[in-house]
Amino acid sequence: MSKKIIILNGSPRVKGNTSALVNEFTRGAEEVGCEVKIFQLDKMNIHGCKGCFGGGKNIESPCVQKDDMDKIYPVYREADIVVLATPLYYWNFSGQLRTTFDRLFAVAECDPNYRNPKKESVLLMAAEGYGFDDALQYYQNLMKHLGWTELGHVLAGGVMKVGDIKDHKELNQAYELGKKVDGNSL
Ligand SMILES: Cc1cc2nc3c(=O)[nH]c(=O)nc-3n(C[C@H](O)[C@H](O)[C@H](O)COP(=O)(O)O)c2cc1C
């Protein structure tokens, strides 16, 4: 079965190292027939969650704030796999990704028990150093809390400037992971 994949790219650099991982993952996933939709979060108008607990009334546009999240919600709802792609910023996800993820709470609000829709997930990260432990731990805990299934992660360290990731082995890892996520070879 070909899966639907939503990629939330939290890097502001469209040609940066995270985006290179995203591109290779996408190439692999599309080769095996997956449908991939990428969102460049930094280029979108996405505001922080207001914490109003007033959402969930309209499944098509579940948040009270009307901004570019309305482009993401329908794709997220249909997606089998959510790919979180981000540079390591202060040992964590980028603000762009965190902000977007908070806003997915409005989808959980559509359920009377605030249950999040069940998804599979992938993490793609790039960093100057190799200090991924905290972010990886956070990601794995988050997936446990949401009840989502991790399909894998690719962490590319030692990359700072745009283009640094060229020839790094993690590009191929992202491509191979993309080819596997349809489930046939997992
Ligand atoms: C605000 C900011 C915070 C950063 N924090 C870290 C960090 O905690 N650890 C690290 O290794 N690199 C850190 N970096 C470096 C980036 O992770 C690195 O440049 C990465 O390759 C950027 O990915 P991109 O090309 O997708 O933008 C930081 C960069 C910025 C701009």
Side-chain angles (χ1 to χ4, degrees):
M1 187 194 72
S2 327
K3 291 188 173 168
K4 292 191 171 147
I5 302 177
I6 180 171
I7 301 185
L8 301 175
N9 185 352
S11 170
R13 301 201 293 191
V14 177
K15 297 196 167 153
N17 300 307
T18 306
S19 299
L21 292 173
V22 165
N23 291 342
E24 283 306 288
F25 176 89
T26 300
R27 193 164 68 85
E30 287 183 340
E31 264 180 35
V32 295
C34 292
E35 198 180 302
V36 182
K37 178 85 180 117
I38 302 169
F39 289 96
Q40 298 285 355
L41 306 177
D42 186 66
K43 305 290 174 265
M44 299 175 73
N45 177 32
I46 297 175
H47 296 270
C49 174
K50 300 287 187 199
C52 68
F53 292 90
K57 296 182 178 68
N58 170 7
I59 185 96
E60 295 300 324
S61 175
C63 187
V64 299
Q65 297 190 74
K66 302 304 168 197
D67 58 16
D68 282 346
M69 280 304 294
D70 279 338
K71 297 177 182 161
I72 290 181
Y73 287 130
V75 182
Y76 169 69
R77 253 198 2 259
E78 292 292 312
D80 304 292
I81 302 172
V82 179
V83 177
L84 304 179
T86 176
L88 187 68
Y89 277 3
Y90 286 101
W91 300 276
N92 206 330
F93 294 178
S94 71
Q96 289 90 333
L97 181 58
R98 287 294 317 277
T99 297
T100 302
F101 211 90
D102 284 351
R103 295 284 304 284
L104 296 179
F105 179 68
V107 177
E109 286 184 294
C110 295
D111 182 275
N113 295 311
Y114 292 119
R115 270 190 297 255
N116 291 281
K118 289 283 176 279
K119 304 286 181 189
E120 296 173 313
S121 76
V122 164
L123 176 69
L124 304 175
M125 290 194 91
E128 179 187 4
Y130 295 86
F132 291 108
D133 288 2
D134 291 352
L136 182 60
Q137 186 73 66
Y138 168 70
Y139 164 71
Q140 291 177 330
N141 287 339
L142 177 64
M143 293 307 114
K144 211 160 48 186
H145 292 308
L146 296 174
W148 291 8
T149 306
E150 287 177 53
L151 298 181
H153 54 261
V154 177
L155 308 174
V159 294
M160 187 173 82
K161 296 192 295 296
V162 170
D164 278 355
I165 201 165
K166 187 174 179 291
D167 297 330
H168 278 233
K169 64 180 185 315
E170 288 83 3
L171 289 177
N172 191 51
Q173 288 171 8
Y175 169 67
E176 292 296 333
L177 182 57
K179 282 203 301 187
K180 279 189 200 148
V181 291
D182 70 328
N184 295 327
S185 39
L186 279 175

